[in-house]
mmCIF file of all heavy atoms in Angstrom:
data_model
loop_
_atom_site.group_PDB
_atom_site.id
_atom_site.type_symbol
_atom_site.label_atom_id
_atom_site.label_comp_id
_atom_site.label_asym_id
_atom_site.label_seq_id
_atom_site.Cartn_x
_atom_site.Cartn_y
_atom_site.Cartn_z
ATOM 1 N N ALA A 387 -20.407 -50.540 -18.918
ATOM 2 C CA ALA A 387 -21.681 -50.817 -19.583
ATOM 3 C C ALA A 387 -21.493 -51.356 -20.989
ATOM 4 O O ALA A 387 -22.465 -51.341 -21.777
ATOM 5 C CB ALA A 387 -22.506 -49.559 -19.597
ATOM 6 N N GLY A 388 -20.297 -51.777 -21.412
ATOM 7 C CA GLY A 388 -20.116 -52.300 -22.704
ATOM 8 C C GLY A 388 -20.332 -51.291 -23.821
ATOM 9 O O GLY A 388 -20.838 -51.619 -24.891
ATOM 10 N N TYR A 389 -19.982 -50.046 -23.537
ATOM 11 C CA TYR A 389 -20.196 -48.945 -24.484
ATOM 12 C C TYR A 389 -19.787 -49.278 -25.889
ATOM 13 O O TYR A 389 -20.457 -49.047 -26.884
ATOM 14 C CB TYR A 389 -19.398 -47.762 -23.936
ATOM 15 C CG TYR A 389 -19.238 -46.549 -24.811
ATOM 16 C CD1 TYR A 389 -20.009 -45.432 -24.564
ATOM 17 C CD2 TYR A 389 -18.281 -46.517 -25.773
ATOM 18 C CE1 TYR A 389 -19.847 -44.264 -25.340
ATOM 19 C CE2 TYR A 389 -18.098 -45.349 -26.560
ATOM 20 C CZ TYR A 389 -18.896 -44.227 -26.316
ATOM 21 O OH TYR A 389 -18.694 -43.121 -27.072
ATOM 22 N N GLY A 390 -18.582 -49.875 -26.042
ATOM 23 C CA GLY A 390 -18.015 -50.124 -27.384
ATOM 24 C C GLY A 390 -18.838 -51.027 -28.256
ATOM 25 O O GLY A 390 -18.668 -50.985 -29.487
ATOM 26 N N ALA A 391 -19.731 -51.836 -27.706
ATOM 27 C CA ALA A 391 -20.508 -52.748 -28.542
ATOM 28 C C ALA A 391 -21.492 -51.997 -29.430
ATOM 29 O O ALA A 391 -21.973 -52.575 -30.450
ATOM 30 C CB ALA A 391 -21.294 -53.697 -27.618
ATOM 31 N N TYR A 392 -21.758 -50.753 -29.168
ATOM 32 C CA TYR A 392 -22.707 -49.958 -29.950
ATOM 33 C C TYR A 392 -22.013 -49.198 -31.068
ATOM 34 O O TYR A 392 -22.650 -48.704 -31.996
ATOM 35 C CB TYR A 392 -23.440 -48.970 -29.073
ATOM 36 C CG TYR A 392 -24.315 -49.582 -28.020
ATOM 37 C CD1 TYR A 392 -23.842 -49.782 -26.715
ATOM 38 C CD2 TYR A 392 -25.644 -49.958 -28.300
ATOM 39 C CE1 TYR A 392 -24.617 -50.346 -25.704
ATOM 40 C CE2 TYR A 392 -26.440 -50.520 -27.291
ATOM 41 C CZ TYR A 392 -25.892 -50.710 -26.060
ATOM 42 O OH TYR A 392 -26.680 -51.287 -25.043
ATOM 43 N N ILE A 393 -20.666 -49.081 -30.999
ATOM 44 C CA ILE A 393 -20.003 -48.105 -31.837
ATOM 45 C C ILE A 393 -19.358 -48.830 -33.052
ATOM 46 O O ILE A 393 -18.421 -49.622 -32.898
ATOM 47 C CB ILE A 393 -18.897 -47.370 -31.097
ATOM 48 C CG1 ILE A 393 -19.424 -46.828 -29.760
ATOM 49 C CG2 ILE A 393 -18.280 -46.269 -31.897
ATOM 50 C CD1 ILE A 393 -20.607 -45.866 -29.923
ATOM 51 N N HIS A 394 -19.886 -48.565 -34.239
ATOM 52 C CA HIS A 394 -19.446 -49.221 -35.491
ATOM 53 C C HIS A 394 -19.336 -48.252 -36.593
ATOM 54 O O HIS A 394 -19.828 -47.143 -36.491
ATOM 55 C CB HIS A 394 -20.393 -50.386 -35.824
ATOM 56 C CG HIS A 394 -21.799 -49.924 -35.989
ATOM 57 N ND1 HIS A 394 -22.779 -50.110 -35.015
ATOM 58 C CD2 HIS A 394 -22.454 -49.231 -36.996
ATOM 59 C CE1 HIS A 394 -23.910 -49.596 -35.462
ATOM 60 N NE2 HIS A 394 -23.730 -49.095 -36.638
ATOM 61 N N ASP A 395 -18.691 -48.692 -37.700
ATOM 62 C CA ASP A 395 -18.591 -47.839 -38.864
ATOM 63 C C ASP A 395 -19.674 -48.205 -39.829
ATOM 64 O O ASP A 395 -20.621 -48.933 -39.514
ATOM 65 C CB ASP A 395 -17.190 -48.021 -39.520
ATOM 66 C CG ASP A 395 -16.887 -49.457 -39.921
ATOM 67 O OD1 ASP A 395 -17.820 -50.238 -40.037
ATOM 68 O OD2 ASP A 395 -15.697 -49.763 -40.119
ATOM 69 N N ASN A 396 -19.597 -47.705 -41.058
ATOM 70 C CA ASN A 396 -20.639 -47.897 -42.039
ATOM 71 C C ASN A 396 -20.717 -49.318 -42.512
ATOM 72 O O ASN A 396 -21.724 -49.760 -43.104
ATOM 73 C CB ASN A 396 -20.458 -47.006 -43.274
ATOM 74 C CG ASN A 396 -20.901 -45.589 -42.952
ATOM 75 O OD1 ASN A 396 -21.819 -45.362 -42.192
ATOM 76 N ND2 ASN A 396 -20.233 -44.591 -43.607
ATOM 77 N N ASN A 397 -19.647 -50.154 -42.244
ATOM 78 C CA ASN A 397 -19.680 -51.570 -42.603
ATOM 79 C C ASN A 397 -20.079 -52.434 -41.454
ATOM 80 O O ASN A 397 -20.064 -53.673 -41.605
ATOM 81 C CB ASN A 397 -18.303 -51.968 -43.110
ATOM 82 C CG ASN A 397 -17.890 -51.217 -44.374
ATOM 83 O OD1 ASN A 397 -18.752 -51.093 -45.266
ATOM 84 N ND2 ASN A 397 -16.644 -50.810 -44.469
ATOM 85 N N GLY A 398 -20.473 -51.862 -40.340
ATOM 86 C CA GLY A 398 -20.908 -52.640 -39.206
ATOM 87 C C GLY A 398 -19.784 -53.175 -38.347
ATOM 88 O O GLY A 398 -19.990 -53.916 -37.430
ATOM 89 N N ASN A 399 -18.528 -52.760 -38.604
ATOM 90 C CA ASN A 399 -17.392 -53.189 -37.836
ATOM 91 C C ASN A 399 -17.191 -52.328 -36.601
ATOM 92 O O ASN A 399 -17.382 -51.070 -36.667
ATOM 93 C CB ASN A 399 -16.094 -53.117 -38.691
ATOM 94 C CG ASN A 399 -16.188 -53.977 -39.914
ATOM 95 O OD1 ASN A 399 -16.619 -55.143 -39.860
ATOM 96 N ND2 ASN A 399 -15.772 -53.451 -41.040
ATOM 97 N N LEU A 400 -16.861 -52.966 -35.471
ATOM 98 C CA LEU A 400 -16.607 -52.211 -34.229
ATOM 99 C C LEU A 400 -15.324 -51.384 -34.452
ATOM 100 O O LEU A 400 -14.358 -51.761 -35.101
ATOM 101 C CB LEU A 400 -16.390 -53.151 -33.064
ATOM 102 C CG LEU A 400 -17.608 -53.986 -32.628
ATOM 103 C CD1 LEU A 400 -17.246 -54.861 -31.441
ATOM 104 C CD2 LEU A 400 -18.773 -53.108 -32.308
ATOM 105 N N ILE A 401 -15.369 -50.149 -33.940
ATOM 106 C CA ILE A 401 -14.281 -49.211 -34.065
ATOM 107 C C ILE A 401 -13.826 -48.649 -32.742
ATOM 108 O O ILE A 401 -14.511 -48.854 -31.726
ATOM 109 C CB ILE A 401 -14.638 -48.072 -35.033
ATOM 110 C CG1 ILE A 401 -15.874 -47.309 -34.492
ATOM 111 C CG2 ILE A 401 -14.919 -48.568 -36.449
ATOM 112 C CD1 ILE A 401 -16.227 -46.063 -35.254
ATOM 113 N N ASP A 402 -12.760 -47.970 -32.729
ATOM 114 C CA ASP A 402 -12.325 -47.228 -31.562
ATOM 115 C C ASP A 402 -13.427 -46.279 -31.100
ATOM 116 O O ASP A 402 -13.823 -45.365 -31.844
ATOM 117 C CB ASP A 402 -11.053 -46.456 -31.869
ATOM 118 C CG ASP A 402 -10.593 -45.498 -30.773
ATOM 119 O OD1 ASP A 402 -11.075 -45.621 -29.655
ATOM 120 O OD2 ASP A 402 -9.722 -44.642 -31.053
ATOM 121 N N PRO A 403 -13.999 -46.463 -29.914
ATOM 122 C CA PRO A 403 -15.118 -45.669 -29.491
ATOM 123 C C PRO A 403 -14.760 -44.336 -28.792
ATOM 124 O O PRO A 403 -15.656 -43.638 -28.311
ATOM 125 C CB PRO A 403 -15.862 -46.597 -28.513
ATOM 126 C CG PRO A 403 -14.772 -47.376 -27.827
ATOM 127 C CD PRO A 403 -13.700 -47.573 -28.937
ATOM 128 N N SER A 404 -13.479 -43.981 -28.802
ATOM 129 C CA SER A 404 -13.052 -42.824 -28.065
ATOM 130 C C SER A 404 -13.712 -41.510 -28.607
ATOM 131 O O SER A 404 -13.682 -41.338 -29.826
ATOM 132 C CB SER A 404 -11.556 -42.651 -28.105
ATOM 133 O OG SER A 404 -10.857 -43.752 -27.574
#
Side-chain angles (χ1 to χ4, degrees):
Y389 170 102
Y392 296 94
I393 310 302
H394 56 258
D395 60 18
N396 282 330
N397 296 319
N399 300 315
L400 296 181
I401 59 173
D402 170 14
S404 299

